[in-house]
Amino acid sequence: RSLAGDDAASSLPRIQFVDGVDETVVPEVSMTRSATSQRDGKFFTGTATFWFPRADALDHDIQVDSLIAGMKLCDAEGCMVTQDVRAEFRRGNPAGITAVVLLTNPDEWSRFMRFMGRYSE
């Protein structure tokens, strides 16, 4: 996971599984936060789980430059990246993609919430 800036960051929030290809499927997102989470960051754990039914990234022909190596959440502040991505198949056909973003401190939680606020607009 990375919270670093990205040269390709634009003001429009976007999600990408393949570099340069924006995902158009709107995900279902569920969030959890540890009951022991404290505002000072001690013992803080949170997750955001994304489900993309019939994700665009699964429709592309598989080529070296189109392999899914992770999920990028990019906006004007930069990109957050996770490699915790799984494709789900049903009866041999792509059903969707699940991706999990681990949020380990209050700053990451706040950054993620800002991204989601922009993405939902």
Side-chain angles (χ1 to χ4, degrees), residues 1-110:
R1 175 182 7 78
S2 171
L3 297 176
D6 180 22
D7 291 337
S10 74
S11 59
L12 293 175
R14 63 198 183 282
I15 298 175
Q16 296 181 345
F17 292 105
V18 176
D19 281 337
V21 181
D22 294 348
E23 181 63 47
T24 63
V25 173
V26 177
E28 298 171 18
V29 181
S30 60
M31 298 185 68
T32 63
R33 187 163 62 180
S34 156
T36 59
S37 293
Q38 299 175 7
R39 290 188 183 269
D40 63 6
K42 294 179 182 173
F43 309 110
F44 188 96
T45 308
T47 61
T49 304
F50 290 75
W51 167 246
F52 294 85
R54 296 183 302 274
D56 295 337
L58 296 175
D59 288 338
H60 295 290
D61 292 331
I62 297 175
Q63 298 176 13
V64 174
D65 62 346
S66 66
L67 296 177
I68 298 171
M71 179 179 73
K72 289 177 23 176
L73 310 172
C74 298
D75 64 9
E77 289 185 56
C79 290
M80 296 174 281
V81 179
T82 182
Q83 280 79 39
D84 190 350
V85 176
R86 294 177 299 278
E88 184 176 321
F89 293 84
R90 295 188 185 131
R91 296 186 180 145
N93 296 313
I97 295 177
T98 299
V100 178
V101 177
L102 182 62
L103 306 163
T104 59
N105 63 57
D107 291 337
E108 287 182 359
W109 181 274
S110 296

